[in-house]
Amino acid sequence: MAWTDERIDDLKAMWEKGMTASQIAESLGGVSRNAVIGKAHRLGLKSRPSPVKAKDGKAKKKPAAKAKAAPKAKAAPKPRVAPAPAAPPAPPKAADPAAAKQPAPPSGPQYRSIGPGGFTRQSPADQQPLPPAPPRRLVPEKLDPEYEDKTGLLDLTERVCKWPMGHPGESDFHFCGEAVNPGFPYCVEHCGRAYQAQLPRKDRRPPPPLPFGGPRVR
DNA sequence: CCCTGATTCGC
DNA sequence: GCGAATCAGG
């Protein structure tokens, strides 16, 4: 992402407004916190309460060219930004009383596998058919105070589980909010639901019929 | 751990 | 010029 005049103006305004580099980076989009800080300094915007002391005078030696040439020795420098999961999130299931009880102990073959984050994929035998979507409300109803402290849209960060609970627009809609399985958008439990093991093709059962013969059109 | 800003230096 | 990597304090 290039630093257009417009983005630079936004950066300046936000920086001077006291927003943190992270907030600015998120707001601008397409740049990291480091990029924002680096740019701010290049623009001469510096100086803000920094947690790091400005050690002066003595012994402020940088370890100099330390390791900069050398660290390439590290075979796998881990990228700071985790790649987005290839698989898009599976559609969340509604809170369904019937689904609360686990199915009887599996009598059929079990297909399980371990996901890349170490979670156990849900066996197809355990998979619940998606219940039909309830009627949707287009405008959120008034927020139920009971859910005010639940994880809402604005509470989502890279490290909380983004698995939706309930339905958007309803008063009890919120997100799981547990600590994520590192590198994934969901907690371990919900990774197991989002990334599911596949049956061998030949054994695959046809998908349940879609309600009223087709996807909804909005 | 999480956050923060500062700095360096390969590109 | 850019920003990832790193540092260092809270």
Side-chain angles (χ1 to χ4, degrees), chain A residues 7-190:
Chain A
R7 288 164 64 79
I8 291 175
D9 285 343
D10 289 346
L11 165 56
K12 284 180 179 171
M14 289 169 150
W15 185 271
E16 279 155 20
K17 217 174 80 186
M19 291 176 64
T20 68
S22 295
Q23 290 172 324
I24 296 170
E26 188 181 346
S27 175
L28 288 174
V31 287
S32 68
R33 176 182 74 96
N34 271 327
V36 167
I37 293 172
K39 185 60 181 173
H41 285 195
R42 260 171 257 127
L43 290 170
L45 293 178
K46 62 180 172 312
S47 188
R48 288 256 215 129
S50 164
V52 177
K53 287 183 198 167
K55 279 185 175 181
D56 65 3
K58 59 182 194 172
K60 189 49 193 97
K61 277 204 179 152
K62 266 295 162 200
K66 157 198 131 170
K68 268 304 176 181
K72 299 303 181 197
K74 283 182 179 178
K78 177 190 143 202
R80 280 293 152 116
V81 176
K93 195 172 60 60
D96 180 354
K101 43 185 175 183
Q102 283 297 82
S107 53
Q110 293 292 291
Y111 293 91
R112 292 185 184 279
S113 64
I114 302 303
F119 53 84
T120 301
R121 295 182 196 264
Q122 187 176 60
S123 162
D126 296 336
Q127 291 169 14
Q128 303 288 329
L130 294 174
R136 299 301 172 88
R137 191 189 312 279
L138 293 180
V139 175
E141 85 180 21
K142 197 165 191 96
L143 190 60
D144 188 327
E146 180 183 352
Y147 291 90
E148 270 177 357
D149 58 341
K150 297 277 193 300
T151 302
L153 191 60
L154 298 181
D155 301 320
L156 295 180
T157 72
E158 292 231 338
R159 64 191 73 81
V160 303
C161 178
K162 300 179 181 63
W163 191 268
M165 317 282 279
H167 299 284
E170 294 179 8
S171 68
D172 60 349
F173 180 68
H174 61 285
F175 296 90
C176 167
E178 289 298 309
V180 293
N181 189 23
F184 293 87
Y186 309 117
C187 66
V188 171
E189 178 190 341
H190 287 135

